[in-house]
């Protein structure tokens, strides 16, 4: 080995967080020391390689829905390099995902980081505004992000069969043009002037406390090594269950191969948990795409309401020489993979 030649090891990390209930926000995490920087649909730049990502943060992540997440690695340095990628996950679930009624007290002084107020839905076509006998029920909050008056809005639809007319109602609280879910109402009664009032019950908003359990965390490359089963879906996609989430989160990959001698593919090494690129990456060139999408499966129950899911993608590059391969794959780790990579590069 030439002791005067320094090996060059390059690393970069990029990540995103998915948060959902029937509504979700996403966050990206990227930099060499993995401090948090938020961006959307951008490129996470490192020194000589970068994780190139295409990602459009959704406003809703429902069970059964898929979020596009394209990932490749670019060599932006001056030297040929070998590349591998590792994944790290973090999943947080609410301590109590059950929605609870409130007449306002639980919202006082709170922010959207503390409380989630369930949204309401407008009535479908064919419903018209109801008129209250007197003032409509109202909930008032005096302080915090939820401060304001929430007024009960009711719409009705009449259906007459013979001499009998039946009314169907749809209702929600409204504040500033935004609708919120209304609960605690046991129907309405009508007077001779067709004005309504609440039959019984106490109109209430519905909220969920955003207090989370400790995060379930898993780095694929740390013992015990996570080695999922990759299931091919068509000709381009390989699906694998995420390391967290009890098989309710699925990650889709591209260009997976079980033969490390096939060029321009990604080989998952179950011995150490890394994805290895099967070709040398020249300066100014990208790898083929590794990741395609992340999906919250339809098997996810209410306990996944308002989840926070972080997936960190970390790319590493090393100088394209035979002895550099030994740093990643010492003898006995995966000799067939090590041989395939060494066959791509010179000794010095």
């Amino acid at each position: 080995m030439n002791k005067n030649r320094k090996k060059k090891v390059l690393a970069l990390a990029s990540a995103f967080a998915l948060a959902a209930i029937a509504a979700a926000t996403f966050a990206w995490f990227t930099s060499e020391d993995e401090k948090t920087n938020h961006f959307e649909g951008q490129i996470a730049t490192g020194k000589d390689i970068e994780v190139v990502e295409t990602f459009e943060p959704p406003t809703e992540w429902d069970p059964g829905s898929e979020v596009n997440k394209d990932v490749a690695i670019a060599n932006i340095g001056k030297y040929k390099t070998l590349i591998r990628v590792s994944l790290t996950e973090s999943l947080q679930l609410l301590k109590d995902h059950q929605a609870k009624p409130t007449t306002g007290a639980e919202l006082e002084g709170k922010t959207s980081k503390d409380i989630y107020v369930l949204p309401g839905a407008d009535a479908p076509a064919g419903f018209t505004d109801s008129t209250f006998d007197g003032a409509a029920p109202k909930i008032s909050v005096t302080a915090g992000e939820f401060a304001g008056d929430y007024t009960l809005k009711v719409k009705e639809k009449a259906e007459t069969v013979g001499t009998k007319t039946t009314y169907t109602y749809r209702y929600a609280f409204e504040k500033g043009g935004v609708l919120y879910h209304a609960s605690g109402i046991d129907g309405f009664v009508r007077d001779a002037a067709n004005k309504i009032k609440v039959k019984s019950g106490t109109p209430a908003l519905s909220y969920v406390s955003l207090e989370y359990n400790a995060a379930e965390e898993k780095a694929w490359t740390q013992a015990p090594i996570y080695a999922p089963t990759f299931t091919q879906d068509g000709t381009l996609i390989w699906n694998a269950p995420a390391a967290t989430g009890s098989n309710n989160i699925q990650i889709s990959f591209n260009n997976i191969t079980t033969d490390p001698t096939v060029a321009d593919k990604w080989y998952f090494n179950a011995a150490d948990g890394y994805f290895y690129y099967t070709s040398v990456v020249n300066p100014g060139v990208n790898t083929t795409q590794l990741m395609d999408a992340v999906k919250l499966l339809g098997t996810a129950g209410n306990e996944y309401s308002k989840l926070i899911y972080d997936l960190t993608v970390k790319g590493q590059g090393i100088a394209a020489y035979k002895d550099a391969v030994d740093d990643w794959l010492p003898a006995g780790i995966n000799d067939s993979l090590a041989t395939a990579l060494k066959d791509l590069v010179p000794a010095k």
Side-chain angles (χ1 to χ4, degrees):
M1 180 186 301
N2 187 342
K3 295 183 179 180
N4 294 323
R5 180 175 55 77
K6 294 182 179 179
K7 300 172 189 174
K8 194 168 187 179
V9 181
L10 316 165
L12 180 78
S14 171
F16 67 89
L18 305 179
I21 179 173
T25 58
F26 285 70
W28 292 79
F29 297 78
T30 175
S31 72
E32 284 190 352
D33 62 359
E34 298 183 24
K35 292 182 180 178
T36 301
N37 295 296
H38 295 279
F39 69 95
E40 299 178 355
Q42 299 296 322
I43 295 175
T45 304
K47 292 181 179 179
D48 292 293
I49 65 169
E50 64 184 20
V51 178
V52 183
E53 302 176 311
T54 301
F55 170 66
E56 190 68 31
T59 57
E60 294 185 354
W61 199 37
D62 299 319
S65 64
E66 188 173 78
V67 177
N68 184 59
K69 164 71 174 169
D70 298 338
V71 173
I73 310 296
N75 181 356
I76 61 172
K78 298 179 180 179
Y79 307 98
K80 294 181 178 181
T81 186
L82 295 171
I83 288 174
R84 68 179 182 178
V85 166
S86 64
L87 301 180
T88 301
E89 299 178 46
S90 175
L91 174 66
Q92 285 184 276
L93 300 180
L94 292 173
K95 288 186 175 181
D96 183 2
H97 64 272
Q98 300 293 340
K100 296 178 174 60
T102 178
T103 56
E106 288 80 4
L107 306 184
E108 289 289 349
K110 297 296 194 300
T111 72
S112 55
K113 292 183 179 180
D114 308 310
I115 296 290
Y116 179 82
V117 181
L118 273 63
D122 201 358
F127 282 74
T128 59
D129 291 334
S130 299
T131 302
F132 273 94
D133 180 12
K138 183 171 65 176
I139 291 175
S140 296
V141 178
T142 61
E145 188 175 328
F146 300 105
D149 291 332
Y150 298 77
T151 303
L152 188 65
K153 301 291 185 180
V154 182
K155 290 189 176 183
E156 62 189 43
K157 183 177 182 180
E159 183 178 6
T160 301
V161 178
T163 60
K164 183 177 181 180
T165 299
T166 302
Y167 291 88
T168 302
Y169 300 96
R170 296 289 183 269
Y171 50 89
F173 281 102
E174 185 272 333
K175 181 179 78 107
V178 179
L179 296 178
Y180 298 89
H181 182 264
S183 62
I185 298 171
D186 186 21
F188 299 89
V189 294
R190 305 176 71 87
D191 61 16
N194 278 329
K195 294 182 178 181
I196 68 168
K197 62 180 180 181
V198 175
K199 180 180 179 181
S200 63
T202 301
L205 294 160
S206 297
Y207 76 98
V208 174
S209 175
L210 298 182
E211 185 178 3
Y212 286 87
N213 291 307
E216 176 190 358
E217 298 181 339
K218 178 59 182 175
W220 287 34
T221 58
Q222 292 182 0
I225 302 300
Y226 182 61
T229 299
F230 292 84
T231 303
Q232 192 165 0
D233 182 6
T235 58
L236 300 176
I237 302 297
W238 285 258
N239 296 322
T244 61
S246 302
N247 293 323
N248 289 304
I249 299 173
Q250 175 183 279
I251 305 173
S252 297
F253 298 90
N254 297 113
N255 300 301
I256 298 296
T257 183
T258 57
D259 182 355
T261 65
V262 177
D264 301 325
K265 298 290 185 181
W266 291 95
Y267 176 92
F268 180 73
N269 183 23
D272 62 13
Y274 284 94
F275 293 85
Y276 287 82
Y277 195 59
T278 59
S279 293
V280 174
V281 182
N282 291 319
V285 176
N286 290 7
T287 67
T288 56
Q289 186 173 314
L290 168 61
M291 193 176 296
D292 180 71
V294 180
K295 185 176 184 179
L296 181 63
L297 298 178
T299 54
N302 289 344
E303 67 272 19
Y304 284 80
S305 298
K306 210 62 177 170
L307 69 85
I308 296 175
Y309 176 64
D310 296 344
L311 176 61
T312 299
V313 181
K314 185 173 185 177
Q316 295 181 327
I318 198 167
Y321 295 100
K322 293 186 187 299
D323 57 349
V325 175
D326 291 330
D327 282 359
W328 280 355
L329 297 166
I333 296 297
N334 187 324
D335 293 338
S336 61
L337 173 60
T339 298
L341 295 179
K342 288 180 179 180
D343 287 345
L344 301 174
V345 298
K348 297 181 180 181

